[in-house]
Amino acid sequence: MNSQKKTALVTGANQGIGKAIAKKLAENGIQIIGTSTSQKGVEKINQYLKNDGYGLILNLKNSKSIIQGIRKISQNKSIDILINNAGIKEDNLLIKMTEREWNNVIKINLTSIFYLVKQVLQSMIKKRYGRIITIGSVIGQIGNKGQVNYSSSKSGLIGFHKSLALEVASKGITVNIVSPGLIKTDFIKNLNVIQKKKYLSQIPMKRLGNPIEIAESVMFLVSEKSSYITGHTLHVNGGMFMV
Ligand SMILES: NC(=O)c1ccc[n+]([C@@H]2O[C@H](COP(=O)([O-])OP(=O)(O)OC[C@H]3O[C@@H](n4cnc5c(N)ncnc54)[C@H](OP(=O)(O)O)[C@@H]3O)[C@@H](O)[C@H]2O)c1
C-alpha cells in the first residue's frame, strides 16, 4: 500500500455497486480496502484490484467483526474515505415479517453504519479530512410494499447522515448519501418479469441504472469538486423520485 495515496474502505466490494465504486476510486488514484463476507469474495476483490489495494472479510451483522476489522486495518493505515455500500433486503409483508427479518435488515443496513463510522471518525478528525458516503435507496423515500424493514433502514440513514454532517462539518469531514433507484445487480435478480415491467413504468428514463452510474456519483462526492456539499442525499434514479 502506498502511503502517499488516500485510502478508502468500501464495504461489499466483491460485486455489484460496491465493485463498481471500488474500481472507479482505484482508477482515480485511491487505494482500496474492499470487504466481503466470504473468502471467495475477498479473492475476487484481490483479483480486480491488483496493486490498488486488497480484500478483507467483514461481516456487518456482527459489531465485534466490524470493530476488530477496522482495528486490524488501522495498525498500518488510517481510512480517509468510508464508503458504506453493503446492504441486504429480506422482504415480507409486515403482517408476516418475522423479528429475525426485521432485525437482520436493520442491523446490516443501519446499525453497522454506527459502528463503522465510530471506528474511523477519530482519525478523520485528527487529520481534519474525511469523506463518508453511504448508499441509501429510493425506497427509503417512497416506501414499498413488503419492505418496511428495508425502507426503515434506508430512511433511518438520512437522519443519521444529516446529524453526523452537522457534528463534523467544521472538521473537514463531509457526510453524504447516494440514493439509487433500480440498478442492474444481483440485488434485483429475483424480480419477475411483471415486477420489472411495473418498476420500469415508474422510471421516466425507461431503463434500469448501471452500477457505474452510482460509482460516478460517489466519485464526485469523494472528489474536491464536492468540497462544499455535506448532509446531502444525491438521487440517482432516472427520474423515479425527485425532491
Ligand atoms: N441494485 C439496486 O437496485 C439497489 C437500489 C437501491 C439501493 N441499493 C443498495 O446498494 C447497495 C449495494 O447493493 P447491490 O445492488 O450492489 O447488491 P449486491 O450485488 O447484492 O451486493 C450486496 C453486497 O453487500 C454485501 N453484504 C451482504 N450482507 C453483508 C453482511 N452481513 N456483511 C457485510 N457485507 C454484506 C455483499 O457481500 P458478500 O457477497 O460478500 O456477502 C455484497 O457485496 C446496497 O446497500 C443496496 O441496498 C441497490
Side-chain angles (χ1 to χ4, degrees), residues 96-119:
K96 294 183 187 161
M97 188 174 285
T98 63
E99 204 177 328
R100 191 190 54 77
E101 286 164 339
W102 170 265
N103 284 334
N104 279 350
V105 172
I106 298 295
K107 232 184 213 174
I108 292 167
N109 295 1
L110 182 60
T111 309
S112 72
I113 312 298
F114 166 80
Y115 291 106
L116 283 158
V117 171
K118 263 182 90 80
Q119 288 305 302

Side-chain angles (χ1 to χ4, degrees), residues 125-139:
I125 291 172
K126 233 187 203 165
K127 282 184 284 193
R128 300 195 77 77
Y129 177 86
R131 291 279 190 268
I132 296 170
I133 298 159
T134 298
I135 305 303
S137 169
V138 68
I139 302 304

